[in-house]
Amino acid sequence: MPKITSLPRVFNKRALAALVECSPEGFFHRDQLAEPRLGAGDRAAAIESALADGLIGLYEGFIYDPERLNADQVRERSQIFEGALPALKHDGTPSVQPIRERLILREQRLARLPNPDCERLLRAFEGTYGYLLLNQLCTKEGDEVALFQLLSANLLKQVDEVIFDPLQITRPTVESIFNRHLVDLLRGEVRALLREQPGHTLQRADVVAKFGAKTVQKFVDSGDLVTFSIKLPVGESVWVRLGDADPDVAYQTAADAVLPKDEDWQAALDFCGEMLRPGGHETPDSSRKEKVLARSYTLTAASRRLGIKSETLQNAIGARVLDSFVDPEGQTRLSAADVQRIHDDPARHLEIEDQEVISVRDIKIVLGEENAAFLRNQLRKIRKDDASRVRWGQVRDLLWAEPITLKQFREAYKTAKYSMAVTEEERREEERRKREEERQRERARREEERRQQEELRARLLAAFPTWQHAGRTDQQMILHVGPTNSGKTYNALEALAQAGTGWYLAPLRLLAFEVFDRLNRRGVFCNLLTGEERIDIPGATITSATIEMFSPNHSGECVVIDEAHMLADPDRGWAWTRALMESRAPEMHVIAPPFARPLIERLTTAAQIPLRVQEHQRLTPLEIATHPWPLENMPDKTILVAFSRRMVLRLKTELEKYQRRVSVVYGALPPEVRRKQADRFAEGQTEICVATDAVGMGLNLPADRVCFYELEKYDGRAVRSLTPNEALQIGGRAGRYGLSNVGVVGATTRGNLKLLRRLFEMPPHEPDRARVSPQLEDLELIPGNLAKRLARWRELQSIPEALRDVIEPADIDERIALAAMLSDAEVEKIGLAAAVQLVNAPTRESSRIYWHACAKAIIGERAMPIPAEPPMVIQDDHDLEATEEAIACADIYLWLSCRPEFADFAPEEAYIRALRAEWSMSIDAALLRRLDTAQRCINCRKKLPLNHRYALCDECYQASRYRWW
């Protein structure tokens, strides 16, 4: 399976429709589409196309969901809010499901809530804009409980005092409405309150208690309120005033209210006593505050005076060993008399010092790790819990043989800590040395790996084919360039028939069979060789083959290479490169559209192949239709193009409702069934051929018109718009020369017709590089298992410098995936060459399991298993797909049986070939009898309209949404 990579996102009508159906409000202004994450693309064209298809509505710049709103509702709502895009992922796609699907899920979650009041509260939002105030919603006893349950289940959400339904309105929209309307009411109440206060100011805490912190902050941000602070001795007091109030008056009012006055200091003065601290000074005129400051110490000042930590003094106060008081400014103070007593009395000093908190970790550091057990035992005596800190008085006489002072403990701690730091630095230095050695070893390892990689790349470069051989200078390549239906293939086949020996190389089995049949009908004997079958015609010297089957060493006189623009195809381009560069035929005819010419010229110049260009003009003119062709009025002899098997089959069923006879052509159909379906259209048995882009690969049908039902396709990585090259290649199948006078290309809608015209006017994209794949000789040079060898070959990009601008490796993800399913022992048992051949089998993700069973059988030297048989009767699309899968598995069996090294393990080759033919005929018969492939409702199985975007029909959706009625 090709590796999925991140590609630039393309904005189109489908992306726009997804935004609308996922938007809770159901509408938003087109200006919001400027969001860069939505990707590149013409916004106006996407809007026009979606509008033409009825996917959206448009009212005065507002894009809305026509299934949920009408223009009048959009006009009414847009006067209040603008709507919003849904939440987006990093790649620009909606991160939520469509609203209709979310409503179904919500009904299921609501049904699981046991409280019946929950449903009543949720229904209260119907007929509103999606929001209600808390007091409007909770009007009965018990409503708060139900609301809590709804909020917990995310069925409702809350912004301040507003409750909203997230499936009707988004949080940013609610906040916008709240700011514009509801806040105005609160603003008036706040202003009225402050105007009643002196200085029009009030402490912020009082305003917050009444109106809430978020509301106050909103008014501060808007300038209605101004905050200011009054610096207090300890901390500050925060106030708010009206924005138009006098700031000086407000500040003075607040200061008068919170700052202490001189009379407030009397109680502190009474506690201080009469002693002045050293340096303290007072006069008879000193204020009470000045006297307190002169007769007392702060804890910091006392700490300096006593040599005891301020935290220890605080501990002593808490233990009631020391008296203190708090002054009106919030400062804890000690009287000068108490401090002097501690200073003069060693016993008192020691009593206070004993309150110092010591970390047990610090004690461990001083005692040493060898005394850890002793420390634990001693600490158990003084601690009832596992506290990590103790007081010095608890351990002073307990842990040392001779008592030590706190000062001695601190000195011992500094010494031990320094020793530990030295030891830790030595340890870190040793670790740094080891890390440096490890880095050096890593650098050496990387250097050795780089050297080995360069040596391997050099060996691979030396093994890269030079594409030179003995007959190169005499070789002539004729490049036939021109649009579709210009006679390129006819002229090239004429040259092949005249040469008498050689090859016709096609991209598809179907096309190879068509040329095989055409040449034999005109008497030019021709063999058929594809991956799954070989038909030898007696006397034939020309082979019509799929391009992978070409043998360059047996090229014959002439080789015709069709659809050469496939050189740049990521998966299969290597086969065209090999045919172009390695063919030994004296004459080569290469068929390509004009946009592939520069790449082919660069390739032939690099290989020194003489090149002559023969330009062809389209034999019948090609026009763009002037009006769309709806399905109900689709003209006869039209190829209707879609880009998925599912859509092709749905279109077949839809057209048959109008009594039209329809053929279908898509990639998963067996080639013989595609041929029969195409032949019925060519012979007039059917009126319309519904096909994928497989029709653009050389399939000749007598169609007057090619109609595009859609202009987007999934390319294996992402859904993207058609390129101009693809539109020209497919559209060019209209108006076959000799069968029609003119070819007309159109679409089913006006929007698509406009886009189609633009694609035809755009210059085609020129492919940059051809592809090459690994050779057996390359893989033999690379070490490792097979999957790693393939991945390493791609990673090394071992292409000569001179060819880097024209050659790049092919996408070999599928081969790597298959190789990863084989063990090293299994590869070794059958040999690298056989293993490489095994992983080249034509598989897809759904058929890998069968391929692995075949590989296991070959490695075990047993017969390969027969594919599982599909349903005997194809009754619906599921049976059809199962039969197609069975044929895909049969193709693997037949492909392996055609390889000489695996032929012995395919004893049932003839039986499988017969089974495959039988299964193919059953598909053709099912398609003939108007097999019902319409999309159906997953609930009631009712047929859904062709463009229905949901898995449920409208009736089932409405029933699931309103079942509470």
Side-chain angles (χ1 to χ4, degrees):
M1 181 177 180
K3 182 179 180 182
I4 298 178
T5 57
S6 177
L7 296 177
R9 179 167 171 77
V10 177
F11 186 79
N12 51 37
K13 65 180 180 181
R14 290 189 178 180
L16 177 57
L19 293 176
V20 171
E21 66 187 28
C22 293
S23 169
E25 290 93 340
F27 75 99
F28 50 79
H29 199 274
R30 64 188 300 164
D31 291 346
Q32 297 184 43
L33 297 179
E35 162 64 51
R37 283 182 295 169
L38 295 178
D42 189 333
R43 276 25 178 194
I47 292 172
E48 182 178 348
S49 179
L51 195 60
D53 289 351
L55 302 178
I56 64 168
L58 187 64
Y59 171 78
E60 293 188 355
F62 287 96
I63 299 167
Y64 65 90
D65 186 348
E67 294 194 9
R68 288 187 281 156
L69 299 173
N70 55 43
D72 289 339
Q73 290 173 313
V74 173
R75 175 183 54 77
E76 179 183 346
R77 283 166 165 75
S78 63
Q79 294 174 358
I80 303 173
F81 52 90
E82 291 192 351
L85 296 176
L88 301 176
K89 300 178 184 176
H90 69 278
D91 63 355
T93 57
S95 62
V96 294
Q97 297 171 288
I99 295 299
R100 294 183 63 174
E101 296 179 14
R102 293 174 66 188
L103 284 169
I104 296 172
L105 294 174
R106 182 166 78 176
E107 293 299 326
Q108 296 171 354
R109 294 173 67 183
L110 182 61
R112 292 196 291 269
L113 294 179
N115 190 342
D117 290 334
C118 290
E119 184 169 347
R120 177 174 54 80
L121 290 188
L122 192 59
R123 304 308 175 199
F125 289 87
E126 294 181 359
T128 71
Y129 293 135
Y131 68 90
L132 292 169
L133 290 177
L134 181 60
N135 58 10
Q136 292 176 320
L137 181 62
C138 295
T139 59
K140 298 181 179 180
E141 184 178 354
D143 282 355
E144 290 81 1
V145 175
L147 176 59
F148 175 78
Q149 292 173 337
L150 290 170
L151 293 172
S152 300
N154 282 326
L155 298 181
L156 292 177
K157 294 191 176 182
Q158 183 172 7
V159 174
D160 294 328
E161 297 299 308
V162 180
I163 311 299
F164 69 96
D165 179 357
L167 300 192
Q168 292 190 61
I169 195 166
T170 58
R171 181 181 296 271
T173 300
V174 171
E175 291 175 346
S176 173
I177 295 172
F178 181 78
N179 288 334
R180 277 192 286 172
H181 298 283
L182 304 180
V183 173
D184 289 342
L185 300 175
L186 294 173
R187 182 181 289 109
E189 293 182 22
V190 172
R191 292 183 66 84
L193 173 65
L194 288 175
R195 288 205 180 276
E196 295 173 356
Q197 309 303 318
H200 296 169
T201 186
L202 198 60
Q203 279 194 305
R204 185 181 185 277
D206 294 336
V207 183
V208 167
K210 186 171 179 61
F211 296 102
K214 290 185 178 179
T215 301
V216 172
Q217 190 58 45
K218 279 185 173 70
F219 295 151
V220 171
D221 293 339
S222 66
D224 291 291
L225 299 180
V226 176
T227 61
F228 63 95
S229 300
I230 302 297
K231 294 294 182 182
L232 300 177
V234 179
E236 61 183 7
S237 178
V238 182
W239 291 64
V240 293
R241 63 172 173 83
L242 289 176
D244 54 2
D246 186 319
D248 295 333
V249 174
Y251 185 88
Q252 190 58 50
T253 301
D256 292 342
V258 297
L259 291 176
K261 302 172 181 58
D262 191 58
E263 57 266 24
D264 297 331
W265 289 83
Q266 183 60 51
L269 183 58
D270 294 340
F271 189 89
C272 287
E274 299 297 330
M275 179 182 286
L276 295 177
R277 60 181 171 79
H281 178 72
E282 65 178 56
T283 68
D285 297 329
S286 296
S287 66
R288 294 180 180 86
K289 175 180 178 180
E290 290 170 340
K291 291 179 180 180
V292 169
L293 297 183
R295 300 179 189 183
S296 64
Y297 290 84
T298 64
L299 292 184
T300 302
S303 174
R304 289 195 298 267
R305 172 82 168 135
L306 300 173
I308 299 175
K309 292 181 179 179
S310 58
E311 293 87 351
T312 303
L313 295 175
Q314 188 65 60
N315 292 340
I317 294 169
R320 297 186 179 182
V321 176
L322 183 62
D323 293 330
S324 67
F325 65 94
V326 179
D327 66 25
E329 293 181 348
Q331 188 74 258
T332 300
R333 289 184 169 274
L334 304 177
S335 69
D338 279 348
V339 172
Q340 190 62 40
R341 278 192 295 272
I342 297 169
H343 182 272
D344 296 339
D345 184 355
R348 179 66 172 154
H349 192 282
L350 180 61
E351 184 182 15
I352 302 301
E353 202 175 57
D354 282 348
Q355 300 302 317
E356 181 158 329
V357 174
I358 304 295
S359 167
V360 172
R361 181 179 59 83
D362 292 349
I363 298 174
K364 288 180 180 178
I365 291 173
V366 173
L367 289 177
E369 191 63 37
E370 64 275 11
N371 294 312
F374 166 74
L375 176 61
R376 283 195 299 272
N377 291 332
Q378 293 298 89
L379 290 177
R380 287 195 191 102
K381 299 176 182 179
I382 62 174
R383 296 189 301 171
K384 294 182 180 179
D385 54 15
D386 193 27
S388 61
R389 299 165 73 85
V390 295
R391 299 205 177 190
W392 174 247
Q394 294 175 293
V395 298
R396 172 165 46 84
D397 300 326
L398 187 64
L399 300 178
W400 288 270
E402 296 182 5
I404 65 173
T405 65
L406 181 58
K407 182 178 180 181
Q408 290 172 324
F409 173 80
R410 288 173 179 163
E411 291 297 329
Y413 173 77
K414 289 180 181 178
T415 301
K417 190 70 174 176
Y418 176 77
S419 177
M420 288 180 62
V422 171
T423 304
E424 178 65 15
E425 182 58 31
E426 291 174 351
R427 184 189 64 80
R428 290 179 179 176
E429 184 60 33
E430 179 64 18
E431 288 184 353
R432 283 193 290 269
R433 185 186 63 78
K434 290 181 179 179
R435 285 197 299 269
E436 181 59 30
E437 290 178 354
E438 180 61 30
R439 282 194 291 268
Q440 290 178 359
R441 286 194 294 271
E442 179 63 17
R443 283 196 292 268
R445 185 190 65 78
R446 289 179 181 177
E447 181 61 27
E448 177 62 20
E449 188 178 271
R450 187 195 63 77
R451 185 189 63 76
Q452 292 177 359
Q453 183 163 305
E454 289 302 320
E455 288 182 358
L456 179 56
R457 181 180 283 111
R459 291 198 298 271
L460 289 171
L461 287 172
F464 194 88
T466 61
W467 292 329
Q468 299 294 328
H469 54 76
R472 179 66 86 197
T473 55
D474 298 328
Q475 199 172 33
Q476 179 65 45
M477 180 183 291
I478 298 92
L479 174 60
H480 297 267
V481 295
T484 53
N485 199 14
S486 57
K488 305 186 298 295
T489 306
Y490 175 81
N491 288 350
L493 289 177
E494 286 296 312
L496 176 61
Q498 292 176 12
T501 63
W503 296 71
Y504 167 76
L505 305 177
L508 302 172
R509 283 185 284 171
L510 188 62
L511 197 53
F513 183 85
E514 183 179 310
V515 170
F516 162 78
D517 186 57
R518 183 196 302 183
L519 291 177
N520 281 299
R521 284 178 183 274
R522 59 180 285 190
V524 179
F525 297 139
C526 177
N527 300 318
L528 177 68
L529 179 62
T530 70
E532 293 77 18
E533 65 180 330
R534 180 187 186 106
I535 301 177
D536 291 322
I537 301 299
T541 54
I542 293 174
T543 299
S544 179
T546 47
I547 194 162
E548 286 86 355
M549 303 305 297
F550 177 51
S551 176
N553 292 329
H554 302 88
S555 302
E557 292 297 316
C558 179
V559 171
V560 174
I561 303 174
D562 206 350
E563 306 291 351
H565 62 282
M566 292 286 287
L567 273 167
D569 183 79
D571 300 316
R572 300 179 62 205
W574 62 269
W576 276 263
T577 304
R578 185 187 62 150
L580 274 170
M581 297 294 100
E582 298 183 18
S583 170
R584 296 176 178 271
E587 185 177 342
M588 297 168 61
H589 290 262
V590 181
I591 304 166
F595 60 78
R597 175 176 175 175
L599 177 58
I600 295 172
E601 289 178 335
R602 285 156 55 204
L603 266 177
T604 53
T605 299
Q608 299 179 359
I609 304 175
L611 177 68
R612 176 165 57 89
V613 179
Q614 184 173 335
E615 296 186 352
H616 298 257
Q617 302 300 319
R618 185 174 171 88
L619 300 176
T620 56
L622 192 64
E623 299 176 353
I624 304 295
T626 58
H627 59 275
W629 300 319
L631 293 180
E632 58 269 24
N633 296 319
M634 188 67 60
D636 290 352
K637 300 181 71 175
T638 296
I639 299 174
L640 179 60
V641 180
F643 293 99
S644 69
R645 169 191 178 279
R646 179 183 180 187
M647 184 54 72
V648 165
L649 293 174
R650 287 173 64 184
L651 286 171
K652 175 182 184 292
T653 299
E654 188 71 14
L655 286 166
E656 287 172 345
K657 285 167 51 178
Y658 302 117
Q659 305 303 312
R660 307 302 296 274
R661 291 169 291 135
V662 183
S663 292
V664 294
V665 172
Y666 55 88
L669 275 181
E672 54 271 27
V673 178
R674 273 186 278 173
R675 180 74 266 167
K676 286 180 175 292
Q677 291 287 316
D679 286 347
R680 290 192 184 96
F681 179 74
E683 295 164 4
Q685 297 178 33
T686 57
E687 305 160 338
I688 298 169
C689 179
V690 186
T692 62
D693 47 353
V695 76
M697 198 70 74
L699 190 63
N700 296 317
L701 295 173
D704 294 339
R705 301 166 187 83
V706 169
C707 178
F708 288 85
Y709 181 76
E710 51 191 357
L711 290 173
E712 295 174 334
K713 64 178 289 187
Y714 179 71
D715 61 4
R717 294 173 174 83
V719 176
R720 60 167 176 82
S721 299
L722 287 187
T723 65
N725 301 12
E726 292 166 333
L728 288 168
Q729 187 76 8
I730 298 169
R733 297 301 162 188
R736 297 303 302 175
Y737 176 67
L739 299 174
S740 304
N741 295 323
V742 65
V744 185
V745 184
T748 55
T749 66
R750 290 191 180 278
N752 276 354
L753 188 59
K754 184 177 180 179
L755 292 174
L756 184 65
R757 185 174 289 107
R758 190 177 303 167
L759 284 172
F760 269 72
E761 292 170 353
M762 292 170 63
H765 169 71
E766 296 179 359
D768 296 328
R769 292 175 178 82
R771 301 288 182 140
V772 291
S773 67
Q775 304 299 310
L776 179 62
E777 295 78 7
D778 298 331
L779 298 178
E780 288 174 339
L781 295 173
I782 301 173
N785 59 38
L786 181 55
K788 290 182 178 178
R789 292 185 188 202
L790 290 166
R792 191 78 182 278
W793 174 86
R794 181 176 60 186
E795 174 190 337
L796 288 171
Q797 299 273 326
S798 302
I799 296 169
E801 190 66 33
L803 296 174
R804 287 283 177 90
D805 62 336
V806 290
I807 296 289
E808 65 179 325
D811 187 341
I812 55 174
D813 282 351
E814 182 66 17
R815 290 190 235 180
I816 293 173
L818 297 182
M821 299 170 73
L822 302 177
S823 68
D824 293 351
E826 289 171 335
V827 172
E828 184 178 355
K829 182 176 180 180
I830 62 173
L832 182 62
V836 170
Q837 188 73 288
L838 259 182
V839 301
N840 285 336
T843 62
R844 50 196 180 197
E845 188 172 6
S846 59
S847 60
R848 286 179 190 168
I849 294 176
Y850 176 74
W851 171 88
H852 193 217
C854 291
K856 286 282 189 183
I858 290 171
I859 294 167
E861 299 182 352
R862 305 187 306 273
M864 290 187 291
I866 295 174
E869 292 205 20
M872 296 185 64
V873 179
I874 300 176
Q875 297 180 338
D876 54 26
D877 186 30
H878 178 77
D879 294 340
L880 177 61
E881 189 171 7
T883 307
E884 291 168 357
E885 290 295 336
I887 291 175
C889 293
D891 285 342
I892 293 174
Y893 187 103
L894 296 175
W895 190 91
L896 292 169
S897 73
C898 289
R899 272 65 202 163
E901 57 268 57
F902 307 137
D904 291 344
F905 309 112
E908 304 294 340
E909 183 266 340
Y911 174 64
I912 298 297
R913 196 175 297 280
L915 269 183
R916 186 188 180 283
E918 179 184 327
W919 296 339
S920 296
M921 293 306 101
S922 69
I923 289 179
D924 189 54
L927 294 174
L928 275 177
R929 66 172 180 268
R930 297 192 172 184
L931 181 70
D932 183 7
T933 57
Q935 184 185 13
R936 294 180 178 275
C937 172
I938 60 173
N939 184 43
C940 68
R941 305 305 297 164
K942 173 185 175 182
K943 288 184 180 180
L944 298 175
L946 185 62
N947 287 316
H948 195 73
R949 292 183 286 170
Y950 307 103
L952 287 173
C953 66
D954 291 338
E955 291 78 6
C956 289
Y957 169 72
Q958 295 297 335
S960 66
R961 185 180 184 188
Y962 299 117
R963 60 186 173 79
W964 57 275
W965 284 358

